[in-house]
PDB file of all heavy atoms in Angstrom:
ATOM      1  N   HIS A  50      -6.414   3.762  -8.255  1.00  0.00           N
ATOM      2  CA  HIS A  50      -7.850   3.490  -8.336  1.00  0.00           C
ATOM      3  C   HIS A  50      -8.616   4.769  -8.038  1.00  0.00           C
ATOM      4  O   HIS A  50      -8.098   5.653  -7.353  1.00  0.00           O
ATOM      5  CB  HIS A  50      -8.253   2.402  -7.335  1.00  0.00           C
ATOM      6  CG  HIS A  50      -7.711   1.064  -7.679  1.00  0.00           C
ATOM      7  ND1 HIS A  50      -8.228   0.277  -8.679  1.00  0.00           N
ATOM      8  CD2 HIS A  50      -6.656   0.372  -7.170  1.00  0.00           C
ATOM      9  CE1 HIS A  50      -7.534  -0.844  -8.762  1.00  0.00           C
ATOM     10  NE2 HIS A  50      -6.565  -0.801  -7.857  1.00  0.00           N
ATOM     11  N   PRO A  51      -9.855   4.861  -8.517  1.00  0.00           N
ATOM     12  CA  PRO A  51     -10.670   6.035  -8.208  1.00  0.00           C
ATOM     13  C   PRO A  51     -10.928   6.144  -6.702  1.00  0.00           C
ATOM     14  O   PRO A  51     -11.084   5.123  -6.014  1.00  0.00           O
ATOM     15  CB  PRO A  51     -11.981   5.782  -8.950  1.00  0.00           C
ATOM     16  CG  PRO A  51     -11.662   4.753  -9.983  1.00  0.00           C
ATOM     17  CD  PRO A  51     -10.544   3.928  -9.413  1.00  0.00           C
ATOM     18  N   ALA A  52     -10.989   7.358  -6.222  1.00  0.00           N
ATOM     19  CA  ALA A  52     -11.227   7.593  -4.795  1.00  0.00           C
ATOM     20  C   ALA A  52     -12.518   6.935  -4.326  1.00  0.00           C
ATOM     21  O   ALA A  52     -12.590   6.445  -3.202  1.00  0.00           O
ATOM     22  CB  ALA A  52     -11.250   9.094  -4.513  1.00  0.00           C
ATOM     23  N   GLY A  53     -13.505   6.888  -5.180  1.00  0.00           N
ATOM     24  CA  GLY A  53     -14.794   6.284  -4.826  1.00  0.00           C
ATOM     25  C   GLY A  53     -14.709   4.788  -4.559  1.00  0.00           C
ATOM     26  O   GLY A  53     -15.635   4.204  -4.004  1.00  0.00           O
ATOM     27  N   GLU A  54     -13.592   4.162  -4.938  1.00  0.00           N
ATOM     28  CA  GLU A  54     -13.404   2.731  -4.715  1.00  0.00           C
ATOM     29  C   GLU A  54     -12.438   2.438  -3.561  1.00  0.00           C
ATOM     30  O   GLU A  54     -12.012   1.297  -3.383  1.00  0.00           O
ATOM     31  CB  GLU A  54     -12.892   2.076  -6.005  1.00  0.00           C
ATOM     32  CG  GLU A  54     -13.882   2.172  -7.147  1.00  0.00           C
ATOM     33  CD  GLU A  54     -13.347   1.601  -8.453  1.00  0.00           C
ATOM     34  OE1 GLU A  54     -12.207   1.072  -8.477  1.00  0.00           O
ATOM     35  OE2 GLU A  54     -14.064   1.696  -9.453  1.00  0.00           O
ATOM     36  N   LEU A  55     -12.100   3.461  -2.768  1.00  0.00           N
ATOM     37  CA  LEU A  55     -11.124   3.285  -1.705  1.00  0.00           C
ATOM     38  C   LEU A  55     -11.498   2.152  -0.754  1.00  0.00           C
ATOM     39  O   LEU A  55     -10.662   1.305  -0.428  1.00  0.00           O
ATOM     40  CB  LEU A  55     -10.921   4.595  -0.927  1.00  0.00           C
ATOM     41  CG  LEU A  55      -9.927   4.538   0.233  1.00  0.00           C
ATOM     42  CD1 LEU A  55      -8.542   4.119  -0.254  1.00  0.00           C
ATOM     43  CD2 LEU A  55      -9.853   5.883   0.937  1.00  0.00           C
ATOM     44  N   ARG A  56     -12.742   2.100  -0.318  1.00  0.00           N
ATOM     45  CA  ARG A  56     -13.161   1.061   0.627  1.00  0.00           C
ATOM     46  C   ARG A  56     -12.938  -0.348   0.051  1.00  0.00           C
ATOM     47  O   ARG A  56     -12.640  -1.287   0.769  1.00  0.00           O
ATOM     48  CB  ARG A  56     -14.641   1.205   0.982  1.00  0.00           C
ATOM     49  CG  ARG A  56     -14.960   2.368   1.869  1.00  0.00           C
ATOM     50  CD  ARG A  56     -16.456   2.358   2.210  1.00  0.00           C
ATOM     51  NE  ARG A  56     -16.983   3.674   2.461  1.00  0.00           N
ATOM     52  CZ  ARG A  56     -16.871   4.331   3.592  1.00  0.00           C
ATOM     53  NH1 ARG A  56     -16.210   3.796   4.589  1.00  0.00           N
ATOM     54  NH2 ARG A  56     -17.393   5.526   3.735  1.00  0.00           N
ATOM     55  N   GLU A  57     -13.089  -0.451  -1.252  1.00  0.00           N
ATOM     56  CA  GLU A  57     -12.967  -1.729  -1.942  1.00  0.00           C
ATOM     57  C   GLU A  57     -11.523  -2.255  -1.946  1.00  0.00           C
ATOM     58  O   GLU A  57     -11.298  -3.458  -1.943  1.00  0.00           O
ATOM     59  CB  GLU A  57     -13.444  -1.517  -3.389  1.00  0.00           C
ATOM     60  CG  GLU A  57     -13.799  -2.729  -4.162  1.00  0.00           C
ATOM     61  CD  GLU A  57     -14.389  -2.329  -5.507  1.00  0.00           C
ATOM     62  OE1 GLU A  57     -15.201  -1.385  -5.586  1.00  0.00           O
ATOM     63  OE2 GLU A  57     -13.997  -2.969  -6.491  1.00  0.00           O
ATOM     64  N   TYR A  58     -10.550  -1.350  -1.975  1.00  0.00           N
ATOM     65  CA  TYR A  58      -9.156  -1.741  -2.152  1.00  0.00           C
ATOM     66  C   TYR A  58      -8.257  -1.532  -0.934  1.00  0.00           C
ATOM     67  O   TYR A  58      -7.182  -2.117  -0.868  1.00  0.00           O
ATOM     68  CB  TYR A  58      -8.549  -0.962  -3.327  1.00  0.00           C
ATOM     69  CG  TYR A  58      -9.115  -1.369  -4.655  1.00  0.00           C
ATOM     70  CD1 TYR A  58     -10.120  -0.608  -5.262  1.00  0.00           C
ATOM     71  CD2 TYR A  58      -8.662  -2.504  -5.303  1.00  0.00           C
ATOM     72  CE1 TYR A  58     -10.656  -0.985  -6.482  1.00  0.00           C
ATOM     73  CE2 TYR A  58      -9.186  -2.884  -6.529  1.00  0.00           C
ATOM     74  CZ  TYR A  58     -10.183  -2.120  -7.108  1.00  0.00           C
ATOM     75  OH  TYR A  58     -10.705  -2.499  -8.327  1.00  0.00           O
ATOM     76  N   ILE A  59      -8.651  -0.724   0.002  1.00  0.00           N
ATOM     77  CA  ILE A  59      -7.738  -0.258   1.049  1.00  0.00           C
ATOM     78  C   ILE A  59      -7.090  -1.381   1.861  1.00  0.00           C
ATOM     79  O   ILE A  59      -5.924  -1.285   2.240  1.00  0.00           O
ATOM     80  CB  ILE A  59      -8.418   0.778   1.971  1.00  0.00           C
ATOM     81  CG1 ILE A  59      -7.355   1.492   2.809  1.00  0.00           C
ATOM     82  CG2 ILE A  59      -9.502   0.129   2.821  1.00  0.00           C
ATOM     83  CD1 ILE A  59      -7.839   2.751   3.459  1.00  0.00           C
ATOM     84  N   GLU A  60      -7.801  -2.451   2.118  1.00  0.00           N
ATOM     85  CA  GLU A  60      -7.247  -3.517   2.961  1.00  0.00           C
ATOM     86  C   GLU A  60      -6.040  -4.196   2.332  1.00  0.00           C
ATOM     87  O   GLU A  60      -5.232  -4.804   3.031  1.00  0.00           O
ATOM     88  CB  GLU A  60      -8.321  -4.545   3.310  1.00  0.00           C
ATOM     89  CG  GLU A  60      -9.425  -4.004   4.198  1.00  0.00           C
ATOM     90  CD  GLU A  60      -8.925  -3.368   5.494  1.00  0.00           C
ATOM     91  OE1 GLU A  60      -7.936  -3.860   6.075  1.00  0.00           O
ATOM     92  OE2 GLU A  60      -9.534  -2.367   5.924  1.00  0.00           O
ATOM     93  N   ASP A  61      -5.891  -4.101   1.016  1.00  0.00           N
ATOM     94  CA  ASP A  61      -4.779  -4.748   0.315  1.00  0.00           C
ATOM     95  C   ASP A  61      -3.513  -3.898   0.279  1.00  0.00           C
ATOM     96  O   ASP A  61      -2.507  -4.329  -0.288  1.00  0.00           O
ATOM     97  CB  ASP A  61      -5.188  -5.080  -1.127  1.00  0.00           C
ATOM     98  CG  ASP A  61      -6.341  -6.071  -1.181  1.00  0.00           C
ATOM     99  OD1 ASP A  61      -6.446  -6.909  -0.268  1.00  0.00           O
ATOM    100  OD2 ASP A  61      -7.138  -6.002  -2.137  1.00  0.00           O
ATOM    101  N   PHE A  62      -3.565  -2.696   0.840  1.00  0.00           N
ATOM    102  CA  PHE A  62      -2.448  -1.766   0.727  1.00  0.00           C
ATOM    103  C   PHE A  62      -1.962  -1.301   2.095  1.00  0.00           C
ATOM    104  O   PHE A  62      -2.685  -1.355   3.079  1.00  0.00           O
ATOM    105  CB  PHE A  62      -2.861  -0.568  -0.148  1.00  0.00           C
ATOM    106  CG  PHE A  62      -3.087  -0.975  -1.576  1.00  0.00           C
ATOM    107  CD1 PHE A  62      -4.322  -1.425  -2.000  1.00  0.00           C
ATOM    108  CD2 PHE A  62      -2.042  -0.955  -2.483  1.00  0.00           C
ATOM    109  CE1 PHE A  62      -4.524  -1.845  -3.304  1.00  0.00           C
ATOM    110  CE2 PHE A  62      -2.226  -1.364  -3.793  1.00  0.00           C
ATOM    111  CZ  PHE A  62      -3.478  -1.813  -4.209  1.00  0.00           C
ATOM    112  N   ASP A  63      -0.710  -0.839   2.099  1.00  0.00           N
ATOM    113  CA  ASP A  63      -0.089  -0.366   3.337  1.00  0.00           C
ATOM    114  C   ASP A  63      -0.277   1.129   3.547  1.00  0.00           C
ATOM    115  O   ASP A  63      -0.384   1.584   4.683  1.00  0.00           O
ATOM    116  CB  ASP A  63       1.419  -0.663   3.320  1.00  0.00           C
ATOM    117  CG  ASP A  63       1.710  -2.134   3.135  1.00  0.00           C
ATOM    118  OD1 ASP A  63       1.057  -2.951   3.816  1.00  0.00           O
ATOM    119  OD2 ASP A  63       2.571  -2.469   2.307  1.00  0.00           O
ATOM    120  N   VAL A  64      -0.250   1.893   2.455  1.00  0.00           N
ATOM    121  CA  VAL A  64      -0.396   3.347   2.527  1.00  0.00           C
ATOM    122  C   VAL A  64      -1.273   3.828   1.386  1.00  0.00           C
ATOM    123  O   VAL A  64      -1.370   3.186   0.343  1.00  0.00           O
ATOM    124  CB  VAL A  64       0.971   4.084   2.479  1.00  0.00           C
ATOM    125  CG1 VAL A  64       1.832   3.713   3.652  1.00  0.00           C
ATOM    126  CG2 VAL A  64       1.701   3.823   1.179  1.00  0.00           C
ATOM    127  N   VAL A  65      -1.898   4.974   1.606  1.00  0.00           N
ATOM    128  CA  VAL A  65      -2.755   5.592   0.593  1.00  0.00           C
ATOM    129  C   VAL A  65      -2.199   6.980   0.283  1.00  0.00           C
ATOM    130  O   VAL A  65      -1.961   7.775   1.187  1.00  0.00           O
ATOM    131  CB  VAL A  65      -4.214   5.718   1.080  1.00  0.00           C
ATOM    132  CG1 VAL A  65      -5.084   6.353   0.008  1.00  0.00           C
ATOM    133  CG2 VAL A  65      -4.764   4.354   1.502  1.00  0.00           C
ATOM    134  N   MET A  66      -1.986   7.242  -0.996  1.00  0.00           N
ATOM    135  CA  MET A  66      -1.509   8.537  -1.460  1.00  0.00           C
ATOM    136  C   MET A  66      -2.623   9.141  -2.320  1.00  0.00           C
ATOM    137  O   MET A  66      -3.109   8.496  -3.256  1.00  0.00           O
ATOM    138  CB  MET A  66      -0.232   8.379  -2.284  1.00  0.00           C
ATOM    139  CG  MET A  66       0.883   7.599  -1.599  1.00  0.00           C
ATOM    140  SD  MET A  66       1.607   8.439  -0.195  1.00  0.00           S
ATOM    141  CE  MET A  66       2.557   9.709  -1.000  1.00  0.00           C
ATOM    142  N   VAL A  67      -3.010  10.366  -1.989  1.00  0.00           N
ATOM    143  CA  VAL A  67      -4.142  11.028  -2.632  1.00  0.00           C
ATOM    144  C   VAL A  67      -3.647  12.027  -3.673  1.00  0.00           C
ATOM    145  O   VAL A  67      -2.800  12.874  -3.374  1.00  0.00           O
ATOM    146  CB  VAL A  67      -5.002  11.756  -1.579  1.00  0.00           C
ATOM    147  CG1 VAL A  67      -6.169  12.492  -2.230  1.00  0.00           C
ATOM    148  CG2 VAL A  67      -5.488  10.775  -0.514  1.00  0.00           C
ATOM    149  N   GLY A  68      -4.167  11.928  -4.881  1.00  0.00           N
ATOM    150  CA  GLY A  68      -3.821  12.879  -5.930  1.00  0.00           C
ATOM    151  C   GLY A  68      -4.219  14.283  -5.518  1.00  0.00           C
ATOM    152  O   GLY A  68      -5.300  14.487  -4.940  1.00  0.00           O
ATOM    153  N   PRO A  69      -3.364  15.270  -5.774  1.00  0.00           N
ATOM    154  CA  PRO A  69      -3.653  16.636  -5.323  1.00  0.00           C
ATOM    155  C   PRO A  69      -4.911  17.233  -5.934  1.00  0.00           C
ATOM    156  O   PRO A  69      -5.514  18.129  -5.350  1.00  0.00           O
ATOM    157  CB  PRO A  69      -2.402  17.427  -5.721  1.00  0.00           C
ATOM    158  CG  PRO A  69      -1.720  16.616  -6.750  1.00  0.00           C
ATOM    159  CD  PRO A  69      -2.076  15.181  -6.486  1.00  0.00           C
ATOM    160  N   GLN A  70      -5.335  16.716  -7.081  1.00  0.00           N
ATOM    161  CA  GLN A  70      -6.543  17.246  -7.718  1.00  0.00           C
ATOM    162  C   GLN A  70      -7.817  16.904  -6.952  1.00  0.00           C
ATOM    163  O   GLN A  70      -8.863  17.473  -7.203  1.00  0.00           O
ATOM    164  CB  GLN A  70      -6.628  16.785  -9.187  1.00  0.00           C
ATOM    165  CG  GLN A  70      -6.980  15.327  -9.376  1.00  0.00           C
ATOM    166  CD  GLN A  70      -5.811  14.362  -9.283  1.00  0.00           C
ATOM    167  OE1 GLN A  70      -4.825  14.621  -8.627  1.00  0.00           O
ATOM    168  NE2 GLN A  70      -5.939  13.226  -9.945  1.00  0.00           N
TER     169      GLN A  70
END
Side-chain angles (χ1 to χ4, degrees):
H50 292 284
E54 297 176 3
L55 179 59
R56 288 183 209 279
E57 198 174 318
Y58 291 99
I59 194 164
E60 294 305 324
D61 297 329
F62 293 88
D63 303 314
V64 298
V65 180
M66 307 292 287
V67 178
Q70 73 276 27

